[in-house]
C-alpha cells in the first residue's frame, strides 16, 4: 500500500509539473543582465534575444555581453541553449519556478585579442506568466540566476586557455503565441 501511495504521489507531482509548464507555442523575448566573472574579479553585462520554438524543449538565446576586469575590457557575442528539467508552478498557476541545464558558445575580443568561450550553464529562475486574451497567449516576465563554468581560449600572444564562467543574472520578458 505504501508503494502504491508513493507511486501515485510521484505521478501527481510529475503531471502537475508538466500540466502547468511554460507554454508550448512560439516564445520570443528580450533580456538584460549582468554578473561577476570567476576569474579576474571582473564584471559584465549585456543583452539577449530569446527564442523558444514549439515542441522543441530548448530555450535559445543570442547574446552580446561586455566585460571589464583587472585584465582589461572586451566583449563576447554568442549563442545559449537551455533545457528546463524542472518547471513547476509556485504559489499559483501564474508563478513558476524552474531549474535547467545548458551551454553557451561565444566569441569576441577580450584583453587585446580574439577569445572563444565554451561554458556549461545552470539557469535557476522564477517566471510570472500572465494570460492575455488578444492574439498573444501569454506575457512572461522572468528573473534567473545563471552560474556558469567552462573554458576560454585566447588567441593572442601568448596563446592561453583559462577557466571561464561566473555568476550571472538575467531579467527579461517573452511573448508567447
Amino acid at each position: 500500500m505504501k508503494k502504491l501511495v508513493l507511486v501515485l504521489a510521484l505521478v501527481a507531482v510529475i503531471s502537475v509539473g508538466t500540466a502547468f509548464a511554460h507554454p508550448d507555442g512560439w516564445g520570443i523575448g528580450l533580456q538584460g543582465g549582468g554578473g561577476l566573472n570567476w576569474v579576474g574579479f571582473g564584471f559584465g553585462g549585456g543583452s539577449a534575444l530569446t527564442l523558444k520554438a514549439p515542441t522543441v524543449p530548448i530555450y535559445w538565446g543570442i547574446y552580446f555581453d561586455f566585460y571589464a576586469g583587472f585584465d582589461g575590457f572586451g566583449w563576447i557575442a554568442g549563442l545559449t541553449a537551455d533545457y528546463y528539467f524542472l518547471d513547476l508552478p509556485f504559489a499559483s498557476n501564474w508563478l513558476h519556478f524552474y531549474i535547467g541545464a545548458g551551454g553557451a558558445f561565444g566569441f569576441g575580443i577580450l584583453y587585446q585579442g580574439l577569445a572563444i568561450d565554451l561554458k556549461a550553464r545552470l539557469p535557476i529562475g522564477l517566471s510570472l506568466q500572465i494570460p492575455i486574451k488578444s492574439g498573444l497567449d501569454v506575457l512572461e516576465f522572468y528573473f534567473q540566476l545563471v552560474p556558469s563554468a567552462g573554458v576560454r581560449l585566447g588567441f593572442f600572444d601568448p596563446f592561453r586557455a583559462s577557466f571561464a564562467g561566473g555568476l550571472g543574472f538575467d531579467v527579461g520578458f517573452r511573448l508567447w503565441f
Side-chain angles (χ1 to χ4, degrees), residues 3-71:
K3 289 181 183 178
L4 178 61
V5 170
L6 183 62
V7 168
L8 290 175
L10 183 61
V11 168
V13 167
I14 291 171
S15 66
V16 167
T18 56
F20 299 107
H22 276 80
D24 196 29
W26 285 96
I28 188 166
L30 295 173
Q31 75 181 26
L36 299 173
N37 298 326
W38 301 124
V39 178
F41 302 105
F43 63 92
S47 60
L49 171 68
T50 64
L51 178 67
K52 167 71 174 69
T55 69
V56 178
I58 305 295
Y59 292 78
W60 300 96
I62 301 169
Y63 70 91
F64 181 83
D65 290 344
F66 65 88
Y67 293 95
F70 292 127
D71 292 342

Side-chain angles (χ1 to χ4, degrees), residues 113-137:
L114 179 64
I116 295 176
D117 276 3
L118 298 170
K119 296 185 278 192
R121 297 166 36 93
L122 183 69
I124 303 166
L126 287 174
S127 168
L128 178 63
Q129 300 173 16
I130 303 168
I132 298 177
K133 304 254 189 247
S134 68
L136 299 172
D137 293 334

Side-chain angles (χ1 to χ4, degrees), residues 162-177:
S162 63
F163 182 72
L167 179 59
F169 70 90
D170 298 316
V171 177
F173 71 92
R174 279 190 200 96
L175 304 173
W176 293 88
F177 49 98

Side-chain angles (χ1 to χ4, degrees), residues 73-151:
F73 298 95
W75 59 268
I76 295 277
L79 180 69
T80 63
D82 296 326
Y83 172 77
Y84 297 170
F85 56 83
L86 179 65
D87 188 357
L88 298 173
F90 178 75
S92 75
N93 290 341
W94 289 17
L95 186 61
H96 292 240
F97 169 76
Y98 60 90
I99 299 175
F105 169 77
F107 62 93
I109 305 294
L110 287 176
Y111 323 122
Q112 298 92 27
L114 179 64
I116 295 176
D117 276 3
L118 298 170
K119 296 185 278 192
R121 297 166 36 93
L122 183 69
I124 303 166
L126 287 174
S127 168
L128 178 63
Q129 300 173 16
I130 303 168
I132 298 177
K133 304 254 189 247
S134 68
L136 299 172
D137 293 334
V138 174
L139 174 60
E140 175 189 13
F141 296 96
Y142 61 92
F143 172 80
Q144 63 185 9
L145 292 175
V146 187
S148 64
V151 65

